[in-house]
Amino acid sequence: MTRVHPLVSPWGRFGLYSFFLDAPEPAIVDTGIASSPAEGMAPALEAIGRRIEDVRWILLTHGHIDHVGGAYALWELTGRRARVVIHEADAPMLRSRHAHVEEYLSGRGRYLNDPDGAAKVAAATEAVISGELEPDLLVRGGETISLGGGVTVSVHAIPGHTPGSVAYVLDGQDDVFVGDAVQVHGAANGFPGYTDPVAYRASLERLRDEVRPRRLYLGHPYRRADGVPYGVELDAGQAREAIQGSLDVEAGVGEAARRCLREGLRETGSPYSPFAPVADGLGYTGDPTLEPSPFFTSMHAYRAELVRQGTIHHG
């Protein structure tokens, strides 16, 4: 059995979680931010008798800065010997800091009414992304990665949170690493964030019905309806509960968002404008301006969905 060790790095309101797979060719899933490899991972590995220099695989679940930010720094600490893996759809986020600014401007930034928003995102990418990096292996889902000694990891595409979100499954023991693809009620902001609600639901159903984790490893302590967070290592029962809970939450959010969009968006003085009826209907009282602003990320995703369907017009 391949041992899995969570590696925790602090960052603002979020704990950043990476996972060490103690295989013949050791792997780390997700990399936190620029400081995480040296300040969080290296001491944690030393405490269990392992060396960060020996890591041979860097497996990235998606392209957000708190998951890829430490990739270059970790790669450097391995003597540039580790192979870096990411889905092709999220690879631009690893290759380019500016891709994160473009993502902000094309989505949630349209609603935050912050003239300095793009500059703030650019500053954040400079502070927390350790370097731009070309991946060694681009995946699309369906691949198998050998970690030596008969240990393999299978790759499953689970888009929704981002276009290139993936799950890595330790074959034979059904340990599943999903990054931020199982949102439940969200993490610190208390709201689930995804860029494509249809893909998000389909991915959750695939995790529930096909992948069926024996253990599920989450990128953050996502929250139940009562606000109590799950841990980041869930057993099979907790995994089923979190996945089904995520589906149930999306159904409620989706119903409120689509109703609001069909009735027509109205600009108001609400911080949730033009989606104030959604927050009111759901009883959501979190701060929608706190980055990464999952409220507006998801609202924009529903808007884009209805535009694609021709239900509403782009505007």
Side-chain angles (χ1 to χ4, degrees):
M1 178 176 173
T2 301
R3 294 287 303 276
V4 175
H5 299 274
L7 308 174
V8 185
S9 303
W11 185 47
R13 297 169 296 125
F14 298 95
L16 302 181
Y17 289 84
S18 304
F19 301 95
F20 177 69
L21 281 52
D22 198 359
E25 295 179 23
I28 286 181
V29 178
D30 287 337
T31 62
I33 59 170
S35 60
S36 298
E39 296 180 9
M41 297 177 197
L45 290 176
E46 185 177 353
I48 60 171
R50 299 293 183 265
R51 304 187 325 146
I52 202 166
E53 296 90 337
D54 296 332
V55 171
R56 289 295 172 267
W57 292 93
I58 298 171
L59 308 177
L60 301 170
T61 61
H62 65 292
H64 285 162
I65 59 174
D66 53 327
H67 294 259
V68 305
Y72 187 93
L74 176 55
W75 179 65
E76 288 271 289
L77 288 172
T78 69
R80 300 188 171 192
R81 287 175 291 184
R83 301 190 69 195
V84 181
V85 183
I86 194 169
H87 191 284
E88 62 182 15
D90 278 17
M93 312 289 273
L94 182 65
R95 294 182 177 123
S96 166
R97 288 184 173 95
H98 187 65
H100 297 267
V101 180
E102 292 177 342
E103 181 206 34
Y104 169 84
L105 290 172
S106 64
R108 64 193 184 278
R110 297 174 57 178
Y111 310 98
L112 289 169
N113 299 318
D114 184 353
D116 301 319
K120 290 175 183 174
V121 173
T125 66
E126 291 294 330
V128 305
I129 295 179
S130 51
E132 298 174 333
L133 184 62
E134 180 62 33
D136 296 282
L137 177 61
L138 291 174
V139 293
R140 302 180 70 181
E143 297 83 1
T144 299
I145 298 169
S146 173
L147 305 186
V151 178
T152 60
V153 169
S154 59
V155 183
H156 298 259
I158 48 169
H161 178 65
T162 67
S165 290
V166 299
Y168 296 103
V169 180
L170 263 172
D171 295 320
Q173 59 192 68
D174 295 331
D175 289 353
V176 183
F177 305 85
V178 294
D180 295 348
V182 178
Q183 288 271 310
V184 201
H185 281 267
N189 282 18
F191 202 89
Y194 34 82
T195 61
D196 184 333
V198 174
Y200 179 65
R201 285 195 66 84
S203 295
L204 289 167
E205 290 167 352
R206 184 179 185 194
L207 287 169
R208 181 191 65 191
D209 301 336
E210 299 175 31
V211 178
R212 301 176 67 180
R214 189 178 303 169
R215 277 176 296 273
L216 183 67
Y217 293 89
L218 305 176
H220 303 285
Y222 285 101
R223 297 169 187 257
R224 300 177 173 90
D226 59 7
V228 176
Y230 286 97
V232 294
E233 183 178 3
L234 281 58
D235 64 23
Q238 292 170 324
R240 286 193 299 271
E241 179 184 286
I243 292 167
Q244 187 59 50
S246 298
L247 283 162
D248 294 343
V249 171
E250 189 285 320
V253 172
E255 181 181 3
R258 293 182 182 104
R259 183 188 314 117
C260 174
L261 284 156
R262 290 183 179 115
E263 290 175 355
L265 298 180
R266 296 177 180 84
E267 294 291 342
T268 66
S270 166
Y272 305 100
S273 177
F275 300 101
V278 179
D280 291 343
L282 297 172
Y284 178 60
T285 58
D287 184 348
T289 67
L290 289 175
E291 280 291 273
S293 190
F295 178 81
F296 284 122
T297 296
S298 297
M299 291 305 102
H300 183 68
Y302 289 108
R303 186 178 191 178
E305 174 203 2
L306 294 190
V307 168
R308 286 193 301 271
Q309 294 174 352
T311 304
I312 64 172
H313 296 294
H314 200 329

